[in-house]
Amino acid sequence: MAAPSLSVDVSGNPFVEVFFSSVAPGTSSLKIYRLSEDRQWVVRGGIGIATGVAALDFEAPFQTPATYRAEQFDALGNSLGFTDSATTSVDYAGTVVHNPLVPASLWASMHITGDSVAPLVRPTDGEMVYVEGAPVGKWIGTRRQGLRDVEVSLETQTLADANRVQAMLGTYETQQVGVLCIRTSARIRWPRTFFARGDLSEKELNVRFGGELVRFDSRMDEVEPPFPGLVTPLLTYDDLDAFGNYTAQDAGWLTYTDRDRAYELAGLSG
């Protein structure tokens, strides 16, 4: 079975387009996986995805190999096995933070400061139990957990980016999930795809003097990402309608798949 075609886009918030042009006969839907940093992830928006539809992975790590494959299902939900796999890497230098559910608009380019090099702790919670007569105690606890109480210090270069960082966690009018996805190429021993939760303390570095540097400090815990079936689409029918009517769309693209991959139209509807 054919491997997916992988296309990297770094024109905005970097992502990998994952597209399967060939699947097993009888395939009705796909569940797309990414293997990176020895972890298997379900690609956001890649659960129950129809054949001929591409998934956009905004959570692929930077400067790190990422391998993609999909499990194929028939119309009754029976597994038809896995496709072949393909590997790529997002060749992007820098740090990007985004809201996992709105990756195309709620994202910002940021800089990791030197204060982010605090000790990294992955705890194993539990307690030592001493049984009468036993020479040593017995440990009863959980498996090792993710990073806890990580010192995170990030800076934005523009007020527009600073405003988007605040919007990622929610505003007075719009509630958000409260989890951030941090991806970086910096030589720091965070996970390359780091989902974190913590309150941000904003410090204006030179705004009062006419500058735009803003710093965000936090103590953050590593958390599970939101359910990968939840995602805001990059390209909408309103964008396509803003391009033109059905006649114009039929003239613009040979197939519906080509039309649905016209990401340059994203946001055209305003």
Side-chain angles (χ1 to χ4, degrees):
M1 300 171 189
S5 62
L6 306 175
S7 303
V8 177
D9 189 316
V10 297
S11 59
N13 185 6
F15 68 85
V16 177
E17 184 203 53
V18 187
F19 181 71
F20 292 85
S21 59
S22 177
V23 294
T27 298
S28 176
S29 64
L30 301 170
K31 185 175 184 179
I32 304 175
Y33 294 89
R34 180 186 74 248
L35 178 66
S36 56
E37 294 189 280
D38 295 325
R39 295 178 67 182
Q40 180 170 269
W41 305 78
V42 177
V43 173
R44 185 165 304 282
I47 295 181
I49 190 170
T51 57
V53 176
L56 306 184
D57 185 10
F58 284 92
E59 297 166 8
F62 299 159
Q63 311 288 348
T64 302
T67 300
Y68 294 86
R69 67 172 184 167
E71 187 173 7
Q72 305 157 112
F73 297 91
D74 64 17
L76 298 177
N78 300 309
S79 176
L80 300 177
F82 284 87
T83 66
D84 292 334
S85 61
T87 301
T88 190
S89 179
V90 178
D91 187 15
Y92 180 87
T95 301
V96 171
V97 180
H98 75 262
N99 178 307
L101 302 186
V102 199
S105 58
L106 288 184
W107 70 279
S109 176
M110 306 188 77
H111 170 70
I112 297 176
T113 77
D115 289 337
S116 292
V117 295
L120 301 179
V121 178
R122 294 178 172 88
T124 304
D125 290 339
E127 66 175 311
M128 187 74 75
V129 177
Y130 291 91
V131 180
E132 185 176 356
V136 297
K138 176 175 290 188
W139 177 255
I140 300 177
T142 67
R143 59 180 293 181
R144 195 180 188 197
Q145 300 176 358
L147 292 170
R148 189 176 299 174
D149 202 31
V150 179
E151 187 165 345
V152 175
S153 181
L154 302 164
E155 290 180 1
T156 55
Q157 304 296 308
T158 69
L159 291 181
D161 275 344
N163 292 338
R164 277 193 292 271
V165 171
Q166 290 289 7
M168 290 177 203
L169 294 178
T171 66
Y172 291 108
E173 298 295 332
T174 304
Q175 183 176 348
Q176 298 293 352
V177 68
V179 173
L180 299 178
C181 179
I182 304 173
R183 295 180 295 165
T184 184
S185 63
R187 292 177 58 84
I188 189 169
R189 288 177 60 79
W190 295 349
R192 297 295 86 184
T193 302
F194 183 22
F195 290 97
R197 172 71 184 99
D199 295 325
L200 298 177
S201 173
E202 178 180 314
K203 181 178 181 181
E204 301 173 357
L205 299 183
N206 63 359
V207 174
R208 69 186 66 185
F209 304 111
E212 298 195 23
L213 290 177
V214 177
R215 173 169 165 167
F216 295 90
D217 296 313
S218 183
R219 308 290 300 201
M220 308 193 82
D221 296 328
E222 185 177 6
V223 297
E224 286 284 335
F227 176 63
L230 300 176
V231 67
T232 301
L234 175 61
L235 182 65
T236 67
Y237 284 117
D238 287 341
D239 295 328
L240 296 173
D241 290 341
F243 171 81
N245 58 25
Y246 287 121
T247 300
Q249 293 179 30
D250 289 341
W253 300 283
L254 293 177
T255 67
Y256 287 124
T257 296
D258 293 335
R259 182 200 65 180
D260 293 342
R261 298 171 72 189
Y263 307 122
E264 68 276 7
L265 301 182
L268 187 63
S269 61

